[in-house]
Amino acid sequence: MTAIALRPPEVVMRLQRLGAAHPTRLSFLRQLIRRATREQWHARKDRFELDDNGFGRAVYAVETPARTYSLVAFSTPLDDEKRSDRVIAQAWDTSYVLYDGLPDAAEIARLEANAPLQEAGRFTGRELVLARANKSVRLFEEVASALAHGRQPDEEQLLGVGYLMRTTAVYGNGKFGIADRDEIASRPELSGSFQAEMLTVWLIRSFILDLVDHIAYRRNPTGAARLAPDLRRALGVGNATGLGMAPFLVRHPLLTHSWFLARETALARVRVEPYAGEAERKAFLQALTDLRRRVARWYSDDSRQAAATRLLADDLATLAGNLDRLLAKPRPWDALYRLAEDRFSLEGQEACVSLILEPHGDLVDDLGDTMKADETPGHGIDGSVTCGSLRQALLDSYSWAESVDFAEPAANARFWYVSAEKLEPRLGERFEEDGAELEQPLATARDALNLAAALAQEPASSRVAEFLLRRPEWRHAARRAQIVARFPYSEIRDNLIGAELRPVDILRAKLAFFGARSFDPRSDRWLRIALFSGEPLIEDVAAAASTGEAA
């Protein structure tokens, strides 16, 4: 069987395509759901101590084959003027900790004194993830009111939003004193990318749904309805994500490469399949139907996203209209992909990639285990190479950047820096704001070309080590050049400091790997999304395993 080449990074790693990314069955929340279902994790409410207004604390315990983890949730009053999605907020409707084990009363009291403070609190290595979330106030109240009156909320309105609360931060990896990544990386259930964070959000979803049911019941103990099971499953957890996350794909090149390589390898495996079986056809049609339903409800005030969503709806209609014909062809999945490549928008093309992978878990799910990387040892600078060879590697890897004139103000318009207030990445306007001297090394294309120019002044046979001893300011660019030469999906192949940059494109690419849907840009620098919408509830995974369902 003749193999199909992977899509090249020159196609995959462009900002416009990254900004059209869709979640796939390799997304991290889908990987977590499959493991939990396969291993029949058991989730239960260990505590649920809330007053009539839904304020108090709750503990949700999850038993895996090896360990127990607990979501410790706190719901507190919040004045409307203090409610904000911004990272600089200091109070939230709810706050959470993913705890290693089952906390006793003393531990819960300690967390209750600290978790609502978030960054200002004090934490230990027993805490794995720290999170907070705010209500979508009007919708949350309308759902609680409808249930209290014994009726279900308006389905169209509810699913048009897709969540009752949205998180404004989900912190892991040792921030603010919680456990370092190294403490849990060897645990199979948490070893994959962002598995602890996804588990936290999955549990938060159950707490939110139980919270609205609880408030409705307390308002009308004899007549309140519970949120219908199909609506519970349809709802996810919202998230507001901004610039703090944007540089992640740049700062973690090996991890980025592993994510994209896995997805592209999966696509190539499926495209080479010689025929479409009945089970695969049925699964694809179901996935296509589900996506068309989601797209019909996908609303955004952002004019660019709204236009892209309209084109996507047209693309999916075209796909549906040609499905029987294409699936009858040799290599039917390749035929579907080539139709998308030839005729669809970028949104449509990337949605088609997601759909093609959906029926082929047996063929691609093993690639989830490859979507991680150790970025510390073994990837230093090889100083023994010559200046000439490093320069050639730069010109080869960054040939796409040679058309960018960084002497032009528009090409050099922005700079990345770390805010003093929150110690998180921010984007400055180089010719309008002070602070360019604090620029972070995220202008990868500019720095690569400048390093190549500096190396051109050196004897071609001289060693890079000797050059860097004299010019240490180029160490970051030299290291990156050697990484990109070996790991081609590690670099975004666009100018990251230009006036046309939309950081939300980078954000969407990362969030799609998490499993996010309903992308709603609120500006070019932040967006809202939904996680776990339409996915099984964590308390249902054991039942799903016994009936043969899989994510």
Side-chain angles (χ1 to χ4, degrees), residues 504-522:
V504 290
D505 291 338
I506 310 174
L507 293 172
R508 177 164 171 178
K510 183 186 178 187
L511 290 165
F513 276 105
F514 284 10
R517 301 183 186 273
S518 304
F519 301 96
D520 180 16
R522 310 301 290 182

Side-chain angles (χ1 to χ4, degrees), residues 124-191:
T124 75
R126 295 301 300 270
E127 287 83 71
L128 306 182
V129 177
L130 185 65
R132 69 273 191 124
N134 285 333
K135 297 171 184 172
S136 295
V137 179
R138 180 179 56 81
L139 183 60
F140 190 98
E141 173 54 32
E142 288 181 2
V143 172
S145 178
L147 295 175
H149 284 87
R151 56 181 172 80
Q152 294 298 312
D154 181 83
E155 181 174 346
E156 199 64 27
Q157 179 187 25
L158 188 63
L159 300 187
V161 176
Y163 53 82
L164 298 179
M165 282 195 191
R166 54 181 173 266
T167 58
T168 61
V170 181
Y171 293 126
N173 301 319
K175 292 195 79 167
F176 313 119
I178 64 178
D180 287 334
R181 167 69 180 167
D182 290 346
E183 298 297 316
I184 61 173
S186 62
R187 303 180 183 185
E189 66 274 13
L190 299 182
S191 62

Side-chain angles (χ1 to χ4, degrees), residues 33-173:
I33 294 171
R34 284 196 294 273
R35 176 182 286 277
T37 304
R38 184 173 66 248
E39 297 179 353
Q40 296 189 39
W41 293 8
H42 177 67
R44 59 184 170 84
K45 276 189 285 192
D46 187 72
R47 294 173 184 252
F48 198 75
E49 302 164 350
L50 305 181
D51 66 16
D52 289 351
N53 295 311
F55 302 135
R57 58 193 184 176
V59 177
Y60 286 64
V62 179
E63 297 171 5
T64 75
R67 296 171 186 83
T68 296
Y69 300 97
S70 299
L71 179 80
V72 188
F74 302 100
S75 173
T76 52
L78 179 64
D79 294 335
D80 286 342
E81 60 269 19
K82 294 182 178 179
R83 183 174 287 107
S84 172
D85 283 342
R86 298 190 65 190
V87 73
I88 61 172
Q90 296 182 337
W92 306 270
D93 285 309
T94 57
S95 53
Y96 309 89
V97 166
L98 183 67
Y99 185 84
D100 192 2
L102 186 65
D104 59 19
E107 284 288 81
I108 293 172
R110 174 179 65 82
L111 294 173
E112 192 164 22
N114 287 279
L117 304 178
Q118 294 285 290
E119 295 97 319
R122 295 294 179 265
F123 302 97
T124 75
R126 295 301 300 270
E127 287 83 71
L128 306 182
V129 177
L130 185 65
R132 69 273 191 124
N134 285 333
K135 297 171 184 172
S136 295
V137 179
R138 180 179 56 81
L139 183 60
F140 190 98
E141 173 54 32
E142 288 181 2
V143 172
S145 178
L147 295 175
H149 284 87
R151 56 181 172 80
Q152 294 298 312
D154 181 83
E155 181 174 346
E156 199 64 27
Q157 179 187 25
L158 188 63
L159 300 187
V161 176
Y163 53 82
L164 298 179
M165 282 195 191
R166 54 181 173 266
T167 58
T168 61
V170 181
Y171 293 126
N173 301 319

Side-chain angles (χ1 to χ4, degrees), residues 427-441:
L427 195 59
E429 301 296 330
R430 190 180 305 276
F431 304 111
E432 300 173 17
E433 302 176 30
D434 295 332
E437 69 278 3
L438 303 174
E439 183 170 10
Q440 295 286 296

Side-chain angles (χ1 to χ4, degrees), residues 384-423:
S384 67
V385 303
T386 66
C387 290
S389 64
L390 179 59
R391 180 174 183 272
Q392 189 58 52
L394 284 160
L395 296 177
D396 291 342
S397 296
Y398 291 89
S399 59
W400 56 269
E402 292 180 350
S403 61
V404 181
D405 183 0
F406 286 101
E408 289 291 325
N412 203 28
R414 271 89 174 271
F415 65 94
W416 292 91
Y417 67 98
V418 174
S419 71
E421 183 176 25
K422 283 292 182 179
L423 299 180

Side-chain angles (χ1 to χ4, degrees), residues 204-401:
I204 288 172
R205 178 195 188 196
S206 292
F207 171 73
I208 293 168
L209 296 173
D210 289 344
L211 175 63
V212 75
D213 274 347
H214 167 85
I215 292 172
Y217 172 79
R218 288 297 183 92
R219 291 181 184 178
N220 184 6
T222 60
R226 291 177 59 84
L227 193 61
D230 59 331
L231 294 181
R232 288 176 69 89
R233 177 160 181 156
L235 290 174
V237 179
N239 173 264
T241 298
L243 281 173
M245 188 188 282
F248 184 93
L249 296 183
V250 185
R251 288 179 167 166
H252 297 275
L254 299 180
L255 195 60
T256 296
H257 173 81
S258 75
W259 294 0
F260 283 91
L261 178 63
R263 190 191 67 188
E264 296 307 312
T265 301
L267 176 62
R269 285 182 183 180
V270 173
R271 288 175 63 191
V272 81
E273 285 292 283
Y275 64 90
E278 185 59 33
E280 288 78 18
R281 288 170 178 253
K282 183 178 179 180
F284 183 89
L285 182 59
Q286 183 62 57
L288 176 58
T289 301
D290 289 346
L291 182 56
R292 294 184 73 182
R293 189 179 299 118
R294 287 179 182 273
V295 170
R297 295 194 301 260
W298 183 354
Y299 176 79
S300 176
D301 285 327
D302 181 78
S303 59
R304 176 169 159 173
Q305 182 58 61
T309 305
R310 288 192 295 270
L311 289 175
L312 174 59
D314 292 341
D315 292 338
L316 295 178
T318 299
L319 187 60
N322 287 274
L323 192 57
D324 290 340
R325 176 179 65 84
L326 294 171
L327 289 182
K329 287 178 172 287
R331 288 191 175 180
W333 308 109
D334 182 53
L336 285 177
Y337 175 78
R338 285 188 284 107
L339 171 73
E341 188 177 48
D342 291 343
R343 295 175 55 182
F344 289 2
S345 65
L346 288 177
E347 282 273 2
Q349 292 174 37
E350 295 308 297
C352 189
V353 170
S354 175
L355 291 168
I356 287 171
L357 299 187
E358 194 60 35
H360 295 98
D362 291 345
L363 195 61
V364 306
D365 284 353
D366 65 296
L367 291 167
D369 293 335
T370 71
M371 298 173 72
K372 48 192 173 185
D374 185 351
E375 298 190 288
T376 45
H379 296 289
I381 299 169
D382 181 359
S384 67
V385 303
T386 66
C387 290
S389 64
L390 179 59
R391 180 174 183 272
Q392 189 58 52
L394 284 160
L395 296 177
D396 291 342
S397 296
Y398 291 89
S399 59
W400 56 269

